[in-house]
Amino acid sequence: MNKLILNKLFSILLAISGAVIVLGIVVYAIWGFNIAPDRPQHYTFEVNYDVVIELNEKEEALQDLCENVFDANGLNYSKKEVLVSIDNSSFSETTDKSLIYTFNSAKTENLEKAVQAVNSELTKAGSAYADAIVSASWHTLESERFYDYAWRGAIAIAVAAIVTLAYVGIRYGVSCAVAGLACCIHDALFTVAILALVRFPVFTYAPVLYAAAAAFLSVLLWLVLSNKIRENLKAPEAASVPSGETIKNTVQASKKALITLAAIFAGVILVLGGITLFGAAEVALLVLPMLLSVAVPLYSTLFIGPEILVPVRAAFDKKRAQKKAVYVGKKKADATDAE
Amino acid sequence: MSKLKSTIALVLITILILGVCFMSTVSFSYGYDQMYTFNSIISALQKDSNLGGTLFDGENYVGGGYSSVYYPEGVISVQEYTDNLAQLNELLAMTDQNDPDYKERKDAVEDYVARYDQQGSVYLEKSIVYGDKDGTEVSDDFIEDFENAEAILRNRLERLHMEGVRLDVRDDFTFRVTMPTYSGAQAVMLNYFSYMGEVDMGSGSDAGSATRLLLGDGETIRDYIKSADSFTVNGTAYVQLDFTSKGAEKLAEWTTAALDDAPVTLFFYIGEEAIVSLTVTEPVKTSTLFISGGYTAETARAVALTIESSLKCEPSELVLSVGETVRLEAAFGNLALVLLYVGFGVLFVGMMVFFIMRYRALAVAHLYTFLVWILAMILLLWASYAVMGLSGMHIGIETFAAIVIAGTLLCVSNIVTFENVRKEYALGKTMSSAVKAGYKRCIWQLFDLHIALALLSAIMFAISLTELSVFAFTLLIGVLLSGLCTLAVNRFHWAAFMVFAKDEGKFCNFKREAQVDE
């Protein structure tokens, strides 16, 4: 009865994982990830000015002027930068500067109105900026996407997982490697599938990073569990118990250790993400989704890996037993002795 | 270990840790009138485009990047248009209406206004962009050339495989190219990458008057040059050009003169811009040229990529000029790095509080191990970036993430060993035999764990690019050092500190089984 419930639970979890991964791939194929933090399409409002503005201590007044104009035109900027201009021939810094406001979304007619308002204020008779060379303009920007990084990253994770779990196969047995590989691939795919599905805003390069972190932690947690399983299977009392039962008992006994280990990693991510939330929200945006790279491997190590390991190990045990049964060397020797 | 030996070893290790810690974290000025500056290793390590900070001298900024706008011929900014028009109007205003030049200057103003058409934030020269001075729509030729130029730029920038590289189409008619500061050759790259047009080769005394390749009917430059690449050997960077048999014949023909006369100079062009000049003193009889001299690994790469993308992509007839360039500071703001250090400090304090509560004085052994680990990490990262010159390596958020993950692995590994020894000690063994037995119980588990994770990181590093490659590289160093520290360094520290303990059990907060039962 208990076994039946467990098998049913495993089937449900497997179906959920499969559905999430397939849906995630479909969503990714159609819309990709939500890469809003990278501003694939945005607008800028730029004011280029020379050293006179700085010498006259008018930089702040210029910023106030722009921001008041934005307010009047219903524009909300997401980033403000004061950048130093570079001389193209010597590639050294000049005394000219650019005040750049970035808008994630804006109406172009409002930007045009803002440019006209700022320029007329800058050039009007008796303007405080009359001595300076200063002008405002607005721009649309659309970024190009690079794909090399993503596919090379995916191949890197897959190859690394296979080679690493080949090592696991040598040290812990093929069944452990097969289940571990299934978990590792599952974790990497499941993590990025969730990100694609929930449309969580991520930087373009981040999903591969999260997948790699998930693969890393998946191998780590699986090795911790594999160590325990190997230890328990070698114990004398395990000889009289089916290996499947020993594995399940080991998972139950190791639950606390695995959850603690995952909690430590989660805690570390939370502290780092939490602190950067105050003053560097973009860092937090990059760090906090890594919690998914911890939660997914924990889920697969506890619920998916062992369920795959049990039948795989049973199949290998059966094969080994058949091989032993086929062995006729001793019988032949006995027959020769009898003759 | 005797008390004397332990004391000497611990004093030496402490001095070493303090010294490296000082070098890694403290920046200061020194010398007459404070004219020299020592920047700590952490501050001087190159940061990526997201992180950055000013060095102790207050002048140099590490991190961030540079951004340039490329204007196609016939496209100018509103500012340039306004400035030019203002100059013409000023000249006209200064001219008396009776002056014979007045009409000419008035026509110049009217011509200038009629020549351009405003499209958003740029002005388009009708005869070039529309293909006709009375035109109203962008010509198909311009659109095709613009799209080809976009594909060439994408190819060049993507194949750089660097974090922080970005290509934007600005105002539909210009390009904005962003390069990270750590690339080390941003000036050369931003300049070379704007070169458009067919690859060509020539021979002569100077680039302008050199004899150019005359392509026959149906021939393209690909019938002469196969590919371009770059590599570095013993610190010398080379651009490698591979020629077809036809190209090799042409090279031999041009360089044969080098035997009799003065040296021959070969030029390689992208459009009308000479990108490589090579002085040859003897005939070239090979189909591969290795060109060195004045190149760094990055500049050689920029040259090779510029040539290679022009060979492989559809050519563009656009002439791009580099317009306004600005220096970008850290994309995540300068506070990001400080907050990451604060976060790391908080985690460090949390770790020490846990170890002191759980293991009392044994926490000092862990502290020493952790400090050795983190300082070795910093030195190895610095060495790999600064000394080995690992291309594309830099400090980014991913570096911090990898350090934190590897650091957590070290802490967990130490906890595993401590707990194993605790169990052995509880059974009634002496501390030294408990340590021996405890380590014996977990040594292969920890060995397998570290080897498997190092293998995973190493393969990911070998195959992946940019951020993931930096993440994997830092993890690889961190995991290997974690294994070494937990299995060897920590045991040594434990033994060295244990000598001073009056009650070994109390020192480590370990109890015998009987005591536990009480």
Side-chain angles (χ1 to χ4, degrees):
Chain A
M1 180 65 187
N2 197 18
K3 196 180 170 189
L4 198 69
I5 293 169
L6 276 174
N7 282 345
K8 251 189 175 174
L9 180 70
F10 173 60
S11 307
I12 293 166
L13 291 177
L14 210 59
I16 292 172
S17 288
V20 168
I21 290 170
V22 170
L23 277 174
I25 291 170
V26 171
V27 169
Y28 173 75
I30 299 171
W31 295 292
F33 292 106
N34 174 11
I35 53 162
D38 267 333
R39 300 189 180 93
Q41 280 177 311
H42 66 278
Y43 303 89
T44 58
F45 181 98
E46 301 183 9
V47 184
N48 301 312
Y49 57 88
D50 65 0
V51 71
V52 177
I53 299 276
E54 196 181 346
L55 291 174
N56 292 347
E57 295 177 352
K58 292 281 176 204
E59 282 183 299
E60 276 185 30
L62 183 62
Q63 291 174 23
D64 289 342
L65 165 68
C66 293
E67 285 155 32
N68 290 337
V69 169
F70 297 155
D71 287 343
N73 287 283
L75 294 164
N76 293 311
Y77 66 88
S78 56
K79 194 177 181 184
K80 177 168 78 172
E81 295 168 293
V82 178
L83 304 176
V84 178
S85 289
I86 299 292
D87 177 58
N88 282 327
S89 48
S90 62
F91 215 75
S92 56
E93 290 181 11
T94 67
T95 50
D96 294 346
K97 285 184 181 176
S98 294
L99 168 64
I100 301 180
Y101 291 95
T102 303
F103 299 86
N104 290 340
S105 63
K107 284 185 177 168
T108 52
E109 57 266 31
N110 289 355
L111 283 167
E112 184 60 50
K113 276 182 201 164
V115 165
Q116 282 171 7
V118 170
N119 274 334
S120 69
E121 194 64 34
L122 294 174
T123 52
K124 77 177 182 188
S127 161
Y129 311 96
D131 300 338
I133 298 171
V134 54
S135 70
S137 58
W138 68 274
H139 305 277
T140 59
L141 286 130
E142 202 169 325
S143 76
E144 289 283 334
R145 292 198 200 169
F146 300 147
Y147 295 100
D148 265 13
Y149 168 77
W151 68 258
R152 279 279 289 267
I155 291 174
I157 294 168
V159 174
I162 291 167
V163 175
T164 306
L165 288 152
Y167 175 81
V168 173
I170 294 165
R171 298 286 297 149
Y172 296 85
V174 183
S175 50
C176 253
V178 171
L181 184 63
C183 280
C184 194
I185 302 287
H186 164 272
D187 295 347
L189 287 174
F190 195 84
T191 305
V192 289
I194 289 180
L195 289 172
L197 273 178
V198 300
R199 313 303 300 148
F200 189 85
V202 289
F203 290 94
T204 314
Y205 60 86
V208 181
L209 211 58
Y210 300 145
F216 184 89
L217 292 171
S218 179
V219 170
L220 196 156
L221 292 177
W222 185 247
L223 277 175
V224 171
L225 185 63
S226 298
N227 265 318
K228 292 274 178 198
I229 291 172
R230 184 172 63 175
E231 216 171 77
N232 288 352
L233 282 172
K234 274 183 185 171
E237 56 269 30
S240 56
V241 184
S243 62
E245 207 164 299
T246 310
I247 291 168
K248 280 178 183 169
N249 291 338
T250 311
V251 174
Q252 286 299 323
S254 310
K255 243 180 193 172
K256 200 178 154 192
L258 291 170
I259 293 171
T260 308
L261 188 55
I264 292 172
F265 279 103
V268 164
I269 292 167
L270 274 173
V271 168
L272 213 59
I275 287 171
T276 49
L277 207 56
F278 305 100
E282 282 155 317
V283 180
L285 192 69
L286 192 64
V287 172
L288 288 175
M290 238 178 219
L291 285 172
L292 209 58
S293 307
V294 178
V296 174
L298 179 66
Y299 153 75
S300 76
T301 308
L302 288 178
F303 299 110
I304 296 189
E307 293 296 334
I308 297 173
L309 178 61
V310 172
V312 174
R313 191 176 172 93
F316 274 101
D317 284 349
K318 202 176 165 187
K319 216 175 177 186
R320 207 176 297 136
Q322 278 172 352
K323 229 178 186 179
K324 267 187 185 170
V326 171
Y327 179 67
V328 289
K330 194 169 183 297
K331 280 182 191 170
K332 263 188 182 174
D334 289 346
T336 317
D337 285 350
E339 276 171 23
Chain B
M1 201 183 279
S2 72
K3 264 192 178 177
L4 182 68
K5 276 184 186 172
S6 290
T7 310
I8 292 170
L10 287 174
V11 166
L12 287 175
I13 291 168
T14 308
I15 291 169
L16 191 71
I17 287 175
L18 287 175
V20 180
C21 211
F22 183 80
M23 274 173 61
S24 303
T25 55
V26 183
S27 303
F28 56 92
S29 293
Y30 63 97
Y32 175 74
D33 215 11
Q34 308 286 301
M35 66 189 296
Y36 300 108
T37 302
F38 174 81
N39 284 301
S40 68
I41 294 173
I42 286 180
S43 70
L45 267 173
Q46 192 56 256
K47 316 294 185 298
D48 72 358
S49 66
N50 295 324
L51 301 178
T54 310
L55 291 183
F56 190 68
D57 57 15
E59 289 173 10
N60 291 309
Y61 189 89
V62 285
Y66 291 86
S67 164
S68 284
V69 181
Y70 292 170
Y71 287 91
E73 190 182 8
V75 180
I76 60 171
S77 65
V78 171
Q79 193 177 354
E80 190 179 345
Y81 176 83
T82 315
D83 289 349
N84 290 345
L85 192 60
Q87 275 181 13
L88 290 172
N89 275 325
E90 203 177 322
L91 202 62
L92 181 66
M94 282 162 35
T95 316
D96 191 87
Q97 287 199 9
N98 299 322
D99 192 309
D101 291 338
Y102 182 80
K103 191 177 176 309
E104 193 185 317
R105 287 175 183 173
K106 198 179 174 199
D107 287 346
V109 171
E110 284 166 1
D111 277 355
Y112 191 78
V113 172
R115 205 190 312 160
Y116 287 96
D117 187 19
Q118 187 175 9
Q119 284 271 352
S121 297
V122 286
Y123 275 85
L124 309 178
E125 194 169 341
K126 293 176 191 170
S127 59
I128 297 175
V129 181
Y130 297 165
D132 178 2
K133 65 180 179 154
D134 298 321
T136 52
E137 283 198 359
V138 180
S139 70
D140 290 343
D141 285 348
F142 186 88
I143 292 172
E144 191 188 338
D145 279 335
F146 190 84
E147 283 171 355
N148 289 346
E150 192 180 338
I152 291 168
L153 283 174
R154 189 170 53 229
N155 186 288
R156 286 172 186 172
L157 295 170
E158 182 162 25
R159 291 180 62 186
L160 263 180
H161 298 148
M162 278 184 179
E163 179 280 338
V165 169
R166 188 177 168 121
L167 171 66
D168 295 283
V169 174
R170 197 171 92 146
D171 302 325
D172 298 331
F173 289 96
T174 61
F175 299 103
R176 190 182 73 167
V177 176
T178 306
M179 304 288 304
T181 307
Y182 72 82
S183 66
Q186 53 274 21
V188 173
M189 287 178 181
L190 286 171
N191 185 30
Y192 284 173
F193 287 171
S194 70
Y195 292 179
M196 291 290 150
E198 282 274 20
V199 180
D200 198 0
M201 50 196 269
S203 159
S205 56
D206 66 88
S209 63
T211 310
R212 304 283 278 262
L213 198 64
L214 282 175
L215 297 176
D217 279 345
E219 271 187 346
T220 67
I221 189 65
R222 289 160 208 81
D223 295 320
Y224 290 85
I225 304 175
K226 272 199 281 193
S227 62
D229 204 350
S230 69
F231 62 95
T232 306
V233 178
N234 297 330
T236 308
Y238 296 87
V239 173
Q240 178 185 330
L241 292 176
D242 288 320
F243 295 85
T244 61
S245 53
K246 217 186 240 185
E249 275 171 31
K250 186 55 88 179
L251 272 184
E253 182 192 315
W254 277 349
T255 54
T256 307
L259 261 182
D260 315 317
D261 307 324
V264 170
T265 308
L266 297 175
F267 296 95
F268 295 90
Y269 304 84
I270 306 291
E272 288 306 309
E273 304 282 356
I275 192 164
V276 174
S277 67
L278 171 68
T279 306
V280 181
T281 51
E282 56 186 69
V284 175
K285 288 175 182 166
T286 61
S287 60
T288 304
L289 276 183
F290 300 101
I291 306 159
S292 68
Y295 289 128
T296 61
E298 290 80 17
T299 54
R301 201 157 157 228
V303 170
L305 273 176
T306 308
I307 297 173
E308 178 71 3
S309 59
S310 300
L311 284 170
K312 297 289 184 289
C313 299
E314 281 294 314
S316 169
E317 296 296 317
L318 283 191
V319 177
L320 297 179
S321 57
V322 185
E324 56 269 21
T325 301
V326 286
R327 197 196 72 199
L328 305 166
E329 291 199 353
F332 289 172
N334 290 331
L335 198 58
L337 198 59
V338 177
L339 286 174
L340 282 169
Y341 290 145
V342 171
F344 196 80
V346 170
L347 288 171
F348 180 80
V349 171
M351 172 194 81
M352 282 316 297
V353 168
F354 169 80
F355 272 87
I356 289 168
M357 282 172 69
R358 180 101 182 128
Y359 304 109
R360 290 204 194 140
L362 186 56
V364 183
H366 169 74
L367 171 69
Y368 266 60
T369 307
F370 191 83
L371 285 176
V372 167
W373 174 83
I374 190 75
L375 293 173
M377 281 286 293
I378 292 169
L379 287 179
L380 276 174
L381 286 175
W382 171 74
S384 58
Y385 303 158
V387 182
M388 286 160 63
L390 272 182
S391 177
M393 284 297 165
H394 51 264
I395 299 292
I397 308 284
E398 59 280 2
T399 322
F400 275 88
I403 288 175
V404 165
I405 290 174
T408 310
L409 182 68
L410 172 70
C411 293
V412 169
S413 303
N414 275 355
I415 291 171
V416 169
T417 55
F418 291 171
E419 289 304 319
N420 273 301
V421 176
R422 181 197 290 276
K423 277 178 197 162
E424 296 295 331
Y425 185 77
L427 294 173
K429 290 180 181 168
T430 62
M431 185 55 86
S432 58
S433 62
V435 170
K436 207 172 177 182
Y439 266 95
K440 201 177 172 186
R441 270 174 68 160
C442 64
I443 191 164
W444 285 109
Q445 294 176 7
L446 291 175
F447 180 81
D448 282 337
L449 189 71
H450 283 90
I451 289 293
L453 294 176
L455 196 61
L456 184 88
S457 311
I459 294 165
M460 277 204 283
F461 166 63
I463 301 173
S464 63
L465 303 168
T466 58
E467 288 91 345
L468 184 54
S469 147
V470 173
F471 177 72
F473 177 73
T474 317
L475 260 183
L476 173 64
I477 294 180
V479 169
L480 286 175
L481 283 174
S482 163
L484 189 73
C485 285
T486 202
L487 295 175
V489 179
N490 195 51
R491 195 168 172 181
F492 172 77
H493 285 149
W494 196 341
F497 277 107
M498 195 60 76
V499 175
F500 304 101
K502 281 180 187 160
D503 182 337
E504 291 174 329
K506 256 188 180 173
F507 183 87
C508 306
N509 199 22
F510 291 171
K511 286 172 185 161
R512 301 288 186 196
E513 221 158 47
Q515 286 172 288
V516 174
D517 289 340
E518 281 164 20

